[in-house]
Structure formats: C-alpha cells, structure tokens
Amino acid sequence: MTNKEIKKKKSQEPIKDQMISNDKRLDGLMKIGVNTQAHGSSYIEIGNTKIICSVYGPRQKKRSEKGVSGKLNVDFRYTKFAQKWTNRRSKNYKNEDERENGILVEKCLLSVIKMENYHKSQVDVFVLVLEDDGDALSMSINAAILALNDAGIEMLDLVSACSVCKIEDSLIIDPVAIEEQKKQAIVTIALMPSRTKIAQLVQQGELPFEEAIQSINLCMNGCEKISQLMSKVLLSSAKKRLK
C-alpha cells in the first residue's frame, strides 16, 4: 500500500478512532487559601500552565454604583512572561486576549453565582495567568470557582471547565500551547456536574456536527475528572478548618 493510499484510508476513518487521550494532563496541583490578604484564593498548576486567583467580597458597592442588584467584576491578566512560547504577540493582541477571556470567565461565573443573594454588594475576581502553556481559559474558570468557594460565595454548583481542540484528524483534550497554535478548532465547556448542565460553551473555529458532539462529550468527561480533583481540595480544606 502506497503512502498516498494510507493517507487516504486514514482520512476516511472516523475521528473517534483517532482521538488522542491526554487524561494525564488533567492531573495537577490545586490549592486554596494561598493569598491570605484576599477573602478567597486559589492556585492551579496543570502541566506548565499556572494560574492564581484572588476573590474580594462580597463587599458594599461604591456610592457611584446605582441599583440594588449584586455586581461581579472579573479582572483577567497575563504576566509579562506568561506566554513565553510566542514572543511575537503584540501588546494589543495581549490586551485583547485578556479582555476577551475576562468577559468569558465573567459570563460563566454569572451563570452559577447566586447574585440575587448579594444585594447592593459586589464581588471582585482577579485572575492572573503566571504561565500559559495552553488551556488557560478553562483553567482560569476552575481557579475562579475554587477561589469563590474559598470565599464562601454561594453558587448553584461546583462548576468545572475543560477544553478540546482539533488538529488534523485528532481531538486533543487539554491542549498545550504548541497544539493550540496548530488547532483547526477548539471547544471549551464549563459544566455543572451534579446537574449535568452546561454553564458555558465556547467554540472557536469550525467543526462538523459529529465532531462537535464528540468534542463536547470529551470535554464533559474531562470536566467530571477535574470536578473530582476540585472536590477533594475543598473537602480537605474543610476538614482542616474543622480541626
């Protein structure tokens, strides 16, 4: 069989038989209470992606802020050395990336925080990406959820997030930076595991319907695994406080 025939045969195989399993990448370090100056905080290190999140509040809104409803502020930033895998990123690109990811994290958190319980109050969430080696958005959501739990903010569920990207004929869970550079599309999901309900779904790039469904299922499986890790961290912290 020629190389051309082999390539043609591979392209005809269903993508589900060519998925790359990166489950080990979902194992990592998670901590809460790392910033003693904040009401709640967390640190996540998955692979070489490292993120710290601090939460302040609920606290009274500024007098200039009108209305009695609660308010959520999300500040998303990269350190100057966070994206060392590409030195060609301009300052404008970095600022746009921060703004876009900040909006996505905020939308996700607003879908799960019981803001109706925080009248005339505001909650400030500061996400700082110390190092970005891929999947920074979903890991930032996870870090924010842990920090909000540490701060005692009421939520509908313990949300967890995960991403899957498509490269050629493979679907890769929790992609690293070099894989994100080569991606044809990427799907990020934030899941409420106990309700089996999607809090947020973001897709960048185009995917055929079948591959989109496969990507969603892979993300949901990854979310469940990450949720278990998050639950262990929160449970361990609760036990320490009770002693």
Side-chain angles (χ1 to χ4, degrees):
M1 188 179 289
T2 66
N3 289 336
K4 187 175 181 181
E5 288 173 329
I6 292 172
K7 189 174 181 181
K8 182 179 180 182
K9 181 180 179 182
K10 184 178 179 183
S11 65
Q12 292 173 345
E13 294 175 1
I15 197 167
K16 65 181 179 181
D17 295 332
Q18 301 175 38
M19 291 178 185
I20 296 179
S21 176
N22 292 333
D23 287 350
K24 290 183 179 179
R25 294 185 190 177
L26 298 179
D27 294 324
L29 176 65
M30 295 185 183
K31 294 181 179 180
I32 61 174
V34 294
N35 181 358
T36 57
Q37 303 300 314
H39 293 105
S41 60
S42 68
Y43 173 78
I44 286 184
E45 184 176 318
I46 304 290
N48 291 323
T49 297
K50 302 168 185 176
I51 297 169
I52 188 168
C53 179
S54 299
V55 171
Y56 297 87
R59 52 190 178 185
Q60 189 174 4
K61 288 199 296 186
K62 297 177 182 178
R63 292 183 179 180
S64 58
E65 302 266 356
K66 296 182 179 180
V68 296
S69 58
K71 183 178 180 182
L72 175 69
N73 298 314
V74 174
D75 185 283
F76 185 102
R77 299 288 175 90
Y78 291 99
T79 58
K80 291 182 179 179
F81 50 85
Q83 296 167 308
K84 63 183 181 182
W85 50 273
T86 168
N87 296 320
R88 292 174 293 178
R89 288 198 167 189
S90 67
K91 185 177 180 180
N92 289 337
Y93 186 100
K94 177 175 175 287
N95 291 342
E96 179 62 25
D97 208 24
E98 290 175 334
R99 188 189 70 82
E100 183 178 331
N101 282 337
I103 291 172
L104 291 174
V105 172
E106 183 175 313
K107 285 183 177 179
C108 179
L109 299 183
L110 283 173
S111 69
V112 294
I113 297 176
K114 295 182 178 180
M115 292 305 298
E116 66 274 13
N117 293 346
Y118 300 105
H119 297 298
K120 296 184 179 181
S121 299
Q122 71 179 45
V123 177
D124 299 312
V125 178
F126 295 88
V127 178
L128 182 62
V129 181
L130 302 173
E131 188 172 344
D132 179 10
D133 190 33
D135 210 8
L137 173 59
S138 63
M139 294 307 149
S140 294
I141 292 173
N142 295 331
I145 292 295
L146 282 175
L148 287 164
N149 270 275
D150 189 39
I153 303 299
E154 293 185 57
M155 290 183 284
L156 295 172
D157 199 354
L158 179 65
V159 174
S160 56
C162 186
S163 296
V164 165
C165 80
K166 180 187 176 182
I167 300 177
E168 296 180 350
D169 295 323
S170 298
L171 295 177
I172 302 175
I173 192 168
D174 186 27
V176 295
I178 195 169
E179 291 166 340
E180 286 186 343
Q181 285 182 291
K182 299 176 182 178
K183 72 179 184 296
Q184 294 159 269
I186 186 167
V187 175
T188 301
I189 280 182
L191 181 72
M192 300 183 194
S194 65
R195 299 173 177 230
T196 318
K197 182 177 179 181
I198 294 175
Q200 186 177 55
L201 190 157
V202 179
Q203 179 179 321
Q204 297 174 321
E206 296 183 0
L207 282 173
F209 178 76
E210 183 181 346
E211 292 177 14
I213 295 301
Q214 291 170 4
S215 298
I216 289 171
N217 289 332
L218 269 178
C219 277
M220 291 178 71
N221 290 335
C223 286
E224 289 177 0
K225 182 169 183 179
I226 290 173
S227 177
Q228 292 173 6
L229 294 174
M230 294 168 71
S231 296
K232 288 181 181 179
V233 171
L234 293 171
L235 182 60
S236 175
S237 176
K239 286 181 179 179
K240 289 179 181 178
R241 291 176 180 179
L242 291 173
K243 287 182 179 180

